[in-house]
């Protein structure tokens, strides 16, 4: 056993010592340090030495960031009834779901806040969408409200019509009493729809409050399948779960005691990406345990330098949960020395890594630059050259050793390489803010996807699974299929087998047709409710499924749009997306990789490791991050005083750190071979590049 391996064992002993003493701690280690291994060993230690020996009914909670990570930990840990491994949302819900009276109070307060926000919008004369309503007299407002109630059915029947037809639907209806000022209200149909939508939302929320007050509603539930609150249905989504959980432990000490008694040991993987409300949640429990002399602890495992998400706590964990014992690890089990040197140059903090194994010293790092307008073509040639070089190496005789994992900055480039550029282009014209496209349409964490995008994902996933025969009956029907006959279930799936589907529209129409005309429409309705999580009535009434899909797509593409014609075009552009392109998109989200070259965004490689890595760099990171990497290398090449002056602005510091973390994550994925291609002029930043990577060469060489 080497000296480094002995020291590594000592780090693990330090962790177990803190476990023995119920000292909450933060384990901070660089990329490739074996954080998951350390976590697994800690879980095994607690299971054997703390739970099993005492025959305690208590459990150990292990919380990680993604379902993929959950599966990995469970597979490495083996079968264990003692350790409950899950994402934070699953575990948090298990911890608080029985506190229904308290949850009901949280929910009631949330609804009241939403109504208040609604009222503020409706009374805001500076809001262009609500100004016409806000400037009405009190009497006119009341008349408009009553009118909207009486015409609710007409509104939803006409909602998808263009502006001209929408106006005619109201003006030509002789069965309703119209306010004299209606014509003025209909000058902008889009604003009219917006205000009426707010009024209907307020009505739904107020009706829900009445049901809660009367005792009709006594339970509120977390909905894991959608990324938006449905408060009037007594359902809430991911962010609200964190909000409710924090409020409960801060307000109801009894819940802290129950959690402590159930889970005396809690371990959190990838703490740097954890939401601040999660850290505050466990900090509140920690404080309760200290105050009441309870034996309880939380252990955070992660790396502050790999915080690349806006909602991750990163280094702020030391502020949010300050009374933690720090345990650092500097050994790297993944990479060769040459890769580690680059990673150390980037992070430049207290974690200076070295390889745990003495023979890890034959890696290769190469940095190239090429200034060209046709970046896609150059990148493809660069990768082809890389592939040929690997194939010519005597040590690389199999596909695994030859495979290249290419990390690209721009989502568009990555989408193009992976065969779903059309999908990306269409989603890019949606209401999703440009900087959020990565998380809301490309995230492999489904809870981060935009609600409509998630619906389309599930919808296309049904098609893919059916066509390639990968769908199980339970996965398809859920608990609703418990009493369903095998023949009925098989018939439902056969009804949806259609190789002629070419677009999303074809698929929606096929499902809608089967829901209306099939002998198994009831059973199909159950499947749709299970997989997409629509309300039961969505899938058993004529045309309701189609309209629900269209409304959802319209919400994604046209919120606040004034041009009705353009709005219809945007909805159509989603429906016309080729099913093959959509399947390529969900394959990317699901991590289905190609055989020779796989393409990823920087964000999408968190936690991964690859023998051969190619990184495509540019000055810009999308259109709203101009000169992101150019500025980073400019700072790196400056002297100490110049750097301090440049980083005096907090916003500049935040951008610099984010860029640093992104580059660190990307470079540290490599085990042995790392090639970087910078697709812009590097003459102004050559010294910065040299500081991190060493020599920079033009490409093609020679």
């Amino acid at each position: 056993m080497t000296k480094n391996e002995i020291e590594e064992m000592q780090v693990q002993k330090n962790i177990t010592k803190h476990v023995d003493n119920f000292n909450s701690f933060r384990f901070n280690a660089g990329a490739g340090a074996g954080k998951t291994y350390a976590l697994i060993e800690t879980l095994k230690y607690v299971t054997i030495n703390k739970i099993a020996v005492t025959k305690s009914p208590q459990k150990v909670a292990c919380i990680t960031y993604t379902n993929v990570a959950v599966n990995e930990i469970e597979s490495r840990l083996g079968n264990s009834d003692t350790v409950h491994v899950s994402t934070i949302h699953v575990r948090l819900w298990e911890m608080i779901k029985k506190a229904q009276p308290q949850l009901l109070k949280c929910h009631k307060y949330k609804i009241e806040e939403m109504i208040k926000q609604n009222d503020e919008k409706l009374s805001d004369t500076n809001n262009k969408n609500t100004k016409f309503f806000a400037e009405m007299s009190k009497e006119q407002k009341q008349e408009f409200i009553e009118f909207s109630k009486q015409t609710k059915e007409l509104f939803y029947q006409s909602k998808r019509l263009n502006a001209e037809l929408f106006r005619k639907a109201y003006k030509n209806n002789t069965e309703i009493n119209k306010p004299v000022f209606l014509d003025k209200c209909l000058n902008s149909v889009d604003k009219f729809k917006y205000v009426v939508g707010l009024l209907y939302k307020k009505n739904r929320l107020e009706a829900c409050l009445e049901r809660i007050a009367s005792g009709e509603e006594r339970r509120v539930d977390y909905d894991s399948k959608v990324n938006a609150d449905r408060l009037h249905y007594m359902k809430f989504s991911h962010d609200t779960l964190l909000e409710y959980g924090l409020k409960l432990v801060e307000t109801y000490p009894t819940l802290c005691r129950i959690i402590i008694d159930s889970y005396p040991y809690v371990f959190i993987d990838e703490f740097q990406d954890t939401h601040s409300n999660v850290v505050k949640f466990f900090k509140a429990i920690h404080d309760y345990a200290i105050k009441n002399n309870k034996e309880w602890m939380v252990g955070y495992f992660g790396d502050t330098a790999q915080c690349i998400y806006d909602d991750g706590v990163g280094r702020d964990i030391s502020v949010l949960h300050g009374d933690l014992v720090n345990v650092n690890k500097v050994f790297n089990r993944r990479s060769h020395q040459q890769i580690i040197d680059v990673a150390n140059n980037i992070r430049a903090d207290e974690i200076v890594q070295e390889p745990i194994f003495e023979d890890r010293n034959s890696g290769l790092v190469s940095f190239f630059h090429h200034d060209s307008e046709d970046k896609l073509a150059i990148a493809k040639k660069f990768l082809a050259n890389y592939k040929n070089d690997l194939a010519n190496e005597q040590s690389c005789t199999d596909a695994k050793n030859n495979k290249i994992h290419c990390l690209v900055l721009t989502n568009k480039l990555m989408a193009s390489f992976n065969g779903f550029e059309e999908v990306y282009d269409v989603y890019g014209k949606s209401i999703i803010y440009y900087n959020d496209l990565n998380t809301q349409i490309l995230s492999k964490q489904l809870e981060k996807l935009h609600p409509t995008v998630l619906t389309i994902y599930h919808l296309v996933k049904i098609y893919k699974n059916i066509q390639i025969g990968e769908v199980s009956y339970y996965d398809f029907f859920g608990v609703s299929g418990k009493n369903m006959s095998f023949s009925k279930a098989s018939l439902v799936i056969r009804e949806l087998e259609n190789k002629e589907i070419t677009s999303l529209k074809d698929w929606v129409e096929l499902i809608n047709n089967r829901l209306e005309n099939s002998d198994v429409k009831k059973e199909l309705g159950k499947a749709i409710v299970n997989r997409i999580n629509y309300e039961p009535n969505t899938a058993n009434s004529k045309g309701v499924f189609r309209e629900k899909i269209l409304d959802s797509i319209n919400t994604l593409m046209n919120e606040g749009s004034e041009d009705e014609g353009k709005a219809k075009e945007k909805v159509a552009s989603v429906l016309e997306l080729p099913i093959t392109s959509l399947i390529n998109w969900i394959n990317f989200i699901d991590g289905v990789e190609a055989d020779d070259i796989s393409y990823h965004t920087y964000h999408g490689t968190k936690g991964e490791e690859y023998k051969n890595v190619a990184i495509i760099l540019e000055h810009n990171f999308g259109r709203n991050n101009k000169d992101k990497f150019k500025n980073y290398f400019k700072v790196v090449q400056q002297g100490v005083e110049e750097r301090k002056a440049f980083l005096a602005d907090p916003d500049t510091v935040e951008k610099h750190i984010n860029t640093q973390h992104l580059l660190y994550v990307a470079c540290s994925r490599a085990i042995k071979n790392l090639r970087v291609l910078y697709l812009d002029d590097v003459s102004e930043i050559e010294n910065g590049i040299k500081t991190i990577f060493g020599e920079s060469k033009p490409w093609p060489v020679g």
Side-chain angles (χ1 to χ4, degrees):
M1 186 175 290
T2 66
K3 175 177 173 292
N4 285 353
E5 288 175 304
I6 294 171
E7 290 184 17
E8 184 185 51
M9 289 179 61
Q10 187 57 52
V11 173
Q12 192 64 42
K13 287 180 180 178
N14 288 340
I15 293 175
T16 56
K17 180 186 70 175
H18 296 310
V19 170
D20 289 340
N21 296 326
F22 284 97
N23 294 329
S24 293
F25 64 86
R26 182 194 72 167
F27 176 68
N28 190 34
K35 291 184 289 295
T36 303
Y37 174 82
L39 174 61
I40 296 296
E41 290 301 299
T42 305
L43 291 171
K44 289 179 178 178
Y45 177 83
V46 173
T47 302
I48 297 169
N49 297 283
K50 302 298 179 181
I51 305 296
V53 295
T54 62
K55 297 182 180 179
S56 171
Q58 296 173 311
K59 306 297 180 183
V60 181
C62 177
I63 296 165
T64 191
Y65 199 58
T66 65
N67 287 319
V68 173
V70 170
N71 295 335
E72 181 186 357
I73 291 172
E74 286 182 335
S75 66
R76 293 171 66 172
L77 189 62
N79 294 326
S80 175
D81 295 330
T82 302
V83 182
H84 289 176
V85 187
S86 66
T87 62
I88 181 58
H89 296 94
V90 170
R91 185 57 45 217
L92 183 57
W93 180 235
E94 286 297 316
M95 289 177 171
I96 70 171
K97 67 180 183 181
K98 292 182 179 178
Q100 282 296 325
Q102 292 78 20
L103 277 168
L104 206 59
K105 289 182 180 178
C106 289
H107 198 68
K108 180 175 176 291
Y109 177 77
K110 179 92 171 172
I111 291 175
E112 290 170 343
E113 284 296 301
M114 293 299 296
I115 292 173
K116 182 180 177 182
Q117 291 175 22
N118 233 44
D119 287 339
E120 288 173 354
K121 289 178 183 176
L122 289 168
S123 61
D124 186 2
T125 56
N126 294 318
N127 187 322
K128 65 178 183 180
N129 291 316
T130 61
K131 185 177 180 179
F132 80 89
F133 181 82
E135 292 179 344
M136 289 182 183
S137 66
K138 184 178 179 180
E139 292 75 17
Q140 287 176 325
K141 285 180 180 178
Q142 191 56 45
E143 187 176 357
F144 187 89
I145 291 169
E146 291 301 318
F147 173 75
S148 67
K149 290 179 180 178
Q150 295 169 13
T151 55
K152 190 173 183 178
E153 185 176 351
L154 174 63
F155 178 84
Y156 284 112
Q157 287 175 346
S158 312
K159 186 179 178 183
R160 298 193 54 77
L161 298 174
N162 63 38
E164 183 181 355
L165 293 177
F166 185 92
R167 291 190 190 94
K168 286 182 178 179
Y170 273 78
K171 292 179 179 181
N172 296 343
N173 194 309
T174 58
E175 298 179 2
I176 57 175
N177 294 320
K178 307 177 187 67
V180 294
F181 50 85
L182 179 62
D183 286 352
K184 184 179 179 181
C185 297
L186 288 170
N187 282 340
S188 172
V189 168
D190 193 66
K191 293 171 183 176
F192 179 90
K193 290 178 181 178
Y194 182 81
V195 168
V196 173
L198 288 179
L199 292 174
Y200 290 160
K201 180 181 179 181
K202 182 181 177 180
N203 290 339
R204 291 193 298 269
L205 293 173
E206 288 178 338
C208 184
L209 283 181
E210 291 175 5
R211 295 196 302 274
I212 293 173
S214 69
E216 184 179 346
E217 298 283 7
R218 297 183 178 180
R219 182 176 179 85
V220 60
D221 285 299
Y222 164 58
D223 192 341
S224 63
K225 292 184 178 179
V226 294
N227 297 344
D229 292 329
R230 296 183 292 168
L231 302 180
H232 59 290
Y233 284 121
M234 303 299 289
K235 294 181 182 291
F236 55 87
S237 180
H238 313 296
D239 290 346
T240 302
L241 171 63
L242 304 184
E243 179 188 324
Y244 285 5
L246 177 59
K247 194 169 188 67
L248 287 181
V249 293
E250 289 180 340
T251 312
Y252 303 102
T254 302
L255 181 60
C256 292
R257 179 179 58 78
I258 293 171
I259 293 172
I260 288 171
D261 290 343
S262 302
Y263 297 100
Y265 303 92
V266 177
F267 300 100
I268 298 175
D269 191 26
E270 303 289 354
F271 72 76
Q272 73 278 354
D273 296 326
T274 303
H275 194 283
S276 60
N277 279 349
V278 176
V279 177
K280 291 176 183 177
F281 177 89
F282 289 110
K283 168 64 172 169
I285 298 173
H286 185 194
D287 290 345
Y288 176 90
I290 297 293
K291 184 178 179 181
N292 294 276
N293 296 315
K294 296 285 186 179
E295 291 186 329
W296 183 88
M297 61 147 300
V298 57
Y300 297 96
F301 290 76
D303 181 9
T304 53
Q306 294 189 64
C307 178
I308 58 176
Y309 300 110
D310 291 339
D311 57 356
V313 295
R315 297 181 184 277
D316 288 344
I317 191 172
S318 59
V319 178
L320 298 172
H321 202 155
D323 47 353
L324 296 170
V325 178
N326 287 319
V327 181
N328 294 336
K329 183 180 178 182
V330 298
F331 301 114
N332 186 303
R333 286 181 159 270
R334 172 185 300 161
S335 304
H336 286 246
Q337 183 68 63
Q338 292 73 16
I339 309 295
I340 294 172
D341 288 342
V342 170
N344 285 338
N345 291 340
I346 296 170
R347 68 180 300 152
D349 63 4
E350 71 275 10
I351 303 293
V352 181
Q353 287 190 303
E354 57 184 283
I356 190 85
F357 306 113
E358 295 177 353
D359 61 345
R360 295 290 180 94
N361 198 29
S362 58
L364 179 63
V365 177
S366 304
F367 191 102
F368 302 94
H369 58 87
H370 186 105
D371 189 12
S372 171
E373 291 295 322
D374 194 352
K375 296 183 178 184
L376 180 61
I378 295 299
K380 286 182 176 179
K381 290 179 181 178
F382 175 78
L383 292 168
N385 181 263
Y386 191 1
K387 185 178 176 181
N388 288 335
D389 287 348
L390 290 173
N392 292 330
E393 291 182 12
Q394 292 183 355
S395 60
C396 292
T397 57
D398 58 74
K400 184 179 180 182
N401 282 329
N402 287 341
K403 184 168 183 175
I404 298 169
H405 290 266
C406 180
L407 281 57
V408 299
L409 271 174
T410 63
N411 296 323
K412 187 176 178 68
L413 187 60
M414 186 276 304
S416 178
F417 277 130
N418 281 289
F420 61 89
E421 187 174 1
E422 294 165 291
V423 177
Y424 178 80
D425 286 344
V426 168
Y427 284 156
K429 297 173 182 175
S430 71
I431 66 163
I432 300 173
Y433 185 59
Y434 189 83
N435 286 347
D436 296 330
L437 286 174
N438 184 65
T439 52
Q440 293 197 36
I441 71 169
L442 300 174
S443 177
K444 296 181 181 181
Q445 301 157 61
L446 299 185
E447 65 270 13
K448 290 183 175 291
L449 298 178
H450 183 281
T452 301
V453 174
L454 183 63
T455 296
I456 296 172
Y457 167 86
H458 285 305
L459 199 60
V460 177
K461 191 73 174 282
I462 293 173
Y463 174 82
K464 177 193 170 185
N465 289 349
I466 289 176
Q467 303 310 316
I468 64 176
E470 286 187 350
V471 60
S472 71
Y473 290 158
Y474 181 80
D475 181 52
F476 199 53
F477 296 103
V479 294
S480 63
K482 185 177 181 180
N483 299 317
M484 192 180 302
S485 69
F486 179 80
S487 60
K488 280 280 189 183
S490 298
L491 184 57
V492 172
I493 293 174
R494 287 201 301 273
E495 288 272 333
L496 296 178
E497 290 178 341
N498 189 331
K499 305 293 185 182
E500 303 300 317
I501 298 294
T502 61
S503 67
L504 179 63
K505 182 180 180 181
D506 292 342
W507 182 230
V508 171
E509 291 298 336
L510 177 63
I511 294 175
N512 195 72
N513 179 268
R514 297 295 190 265
L515 286 169
E516 293 179 3
N517 304 309
S518 170
D519 292 335
V520 288
K521 57 185 179 183
K522 182 179 178 182
E523 289 77 11
L524 176 55
K526 291 179 179 179
I528 297 300
V529 169
N530 174 58
R531 291 295 294 270
I532 305 181
N533 208 38
Y534 281 169
E535 288 77 32
N537 66 350
T538 304
N540 59 18
S541 300
K542 187 174 181 176
V544 174
F545 171 77
R546 181 200 293 116
E547 289 304 311
K548 184 80 173 178
I549 293 291
L550 292 176
D551 280 344
S552 182
I553 294 173
N554 187 59
T555 299
L556 169 68
M557 303 301 296
N558 294 304
E559 190 175 69
S561 174
E562 289 283 348
D563 190 329
E564 293 289 330
K566 191 174 181 179
K568 289 183 70 175
E569 287 178 8
K570 283 188 173 184
V571 172
S573 69
V574 177
L575 293 170
E576 290 164 4
L577 282 171
I579 201 74
T580 52
S581 187
L582 286 163
I583 289 174
N584 289 338
W585 165 62
I586 66 170
N587 283 342
F588 168 78
I589 292 177
D590 291 345
V592 179
E593 297 181 349
D595 292 332
D596 52 357
I597 303 178
S598 291
Y599 302 92
H600 319 266
T601 59
Y602 288 28
H603 292 80
T605 60
K606 278 288 296 289
E608 300 293 325
E609 60 179 45
Y610 316 113
K611 184 175 182 180
N612 311 306
V613 172
I615 297 176
I616 309 299
L617 269 173
E618 302 175 53
H619 285 338
N620 306 329
F621 187 16
R623 64 190 180 196
N624 290 332
N625 280 288
K626 185 175 171 56
D627 290 340
K628 183 178 179 69
F629 284 90
K630 184 179 182 180
N631 288 336
Y632 168 77
F633 286 112
K634 275 187 175 181
V635 171
V636 170
Q637 68 187 15
Q638 291 173 351
V640 176
E641 294 303 318
E642 290 176 303
R643 191 179 300 186
K644 284 183 180 178
F646 190 84
L647 297 176
D649 177 55
D651 288 339
T652 304
V653 173
E654 185 177 344
K655 290 177 181 177
H656 179 77
I657 291 174
N658 178 263
T659 309
Q660 177 191 40
H661 289 178
L662 270 177
L663 191 61
Y664 178 78
V665 167
C667 293
S668 61
R669 300 310 96 193
I671 296 174
K672 187 176 182 181
N673 297 310
L674 173 64
R675 288 195 187 186
V676 183
L677 177 63
Y678 202 112
L679 291 171
D680 279 306
D681 179 18
V682 301
S683 57
E684 295 181 48
I685 54 175
E686 281 188 299
N687 288 334
I689 292 170
K690 186 177 181 180
T691 300
I692 302 296
F693 293 97
E695 186 181 7
S696 173
K697 304 175 184 177
W699 192 90
V701 180

